[in-house]
Amino acid sequence: MKIISVRKNPEYKDKVIQYIQNSWSEVSPVIYENCISNCIDAEESLPQWYLLEKENEVIGCAGLITNDFISRMDLYPWLCAVFINKEHRGHNYGNLLIEQAKKDTKKFGFRYLNLCTDHIGYYEKFGFQYIGQGYHPWEEESRIYQIKV
């Protein structure tokens, strides 16, 4: 298994963009393209985008960003876009991406990692705790979770 950071490996930029766009069709593709393209030379530590490879096949992705389209702008960074290909689920591969995001969160000087999701029960297995509701610009809400890193 190999976790690839697009900032450390800019040659993966197009592959990361395409994979995340295909995995998260709910968000306009131009948003991911713009964010990922501009993160490579960003002066700050965030955002970060990751691919998970198994035997040279991309099987997952995740991001570490400053805000996940959520009203709690006082909280950051945010784990986002965690995705594992359907045929590779059930092997704890998502946790590899979560652990990388936690490691980078700590390295960048943050004490907590946040996420918003509707998946009740999944992230709690990894130590995330529910801290409240957050609201999206499209008039929906999500549960907010946090973990100390």
Side-chain angles (χ1 to χ4, degrees):
M1 296 301 243
K2 181 175 161 186
I3 296 176
I4 299 161
S5 162
V6 71
R7 289 183 79 169
K8 293 179 183 173
N9 302 277
E11 67 274 14
Y12 279 85
K13 179 188 78 147
D14 293 334
K15 195 173 197 176
V16 172
I17 290 169
Q18 182 178 12
Y19 185 83
I20 291 178
Q21 286 174 334
N22 292 337
S23 300
W24 292 102
S25 60
E26 299 89 350
V27 176
S28 173
V30 72
I31 291 174
Y32 288 124
E33 180 179 2
N34 190 263
C35 183
I36 294 165
S37 294
N38 287 296
C39 86
I40 293 169
D41 294 321
E43 291 182 26
E44 300 299 323
S45 55
L46 298 174
Q48 298 283 328
W49 294 94
Y50 313 104
L51 285 181
L52 180 62
E53 274 190 345
K54 180 181 179 185
E55 299 170 0
N56 295 317
E57 174 192 0
V58 176
I59 65 163
C61 63
L64 183 60
I65 60 175
T66 57
N67 188 278
D68 198 9
F69 306 108
I70 195 87
S71 57
R72 290 295 306 271
M73 294 185 189
D74 58 310
L75 302 174
Y76 56 89
W78 293 82
L79 175 65
C80 74
V82 176
F83 185 86
I84 300 294
N85 290 355
K86 198 171 194 173
E87 63 274 14
H88 292 283
R89 294 178 187 167
H91 301 285
N92 207 27
Y93 294 148
N95 192 43
L96 297 174
L97 292 163
I98 292 168
E99 287 300 317
Q100 182 64 52
K102 286 170 55 179
K103 181 176 143 187
D104 284 348
T105 297
K106 187 173 188 169
K107 180 173 82 175
F108 301 146
F110 299 103
R111 294 183 4 195
Y112 296 95
L113 177 59
N114 307 282
L115 70 93
C116 60
T117 186
D118 296 326
H119 293 288
I120 299 171
Y122 180 74
Y123 292 98
E124 291 92 334
K125 291 187 271 186
F126 306 114
F128 283 88
Q129 295 182 342
Y130 173 74
I131 63 167
Q133 293 296 111
Y135 304 93
H136 299 287
W138 51 88
E139 299 181 8
E140 291 180 10
E141 61 184 86
S142 290
R143 296 172 61 86
I144 296 176
Y145 290 85
Q146 188 175 73
I147 191 169
K148 188 170 182 169
V149 294

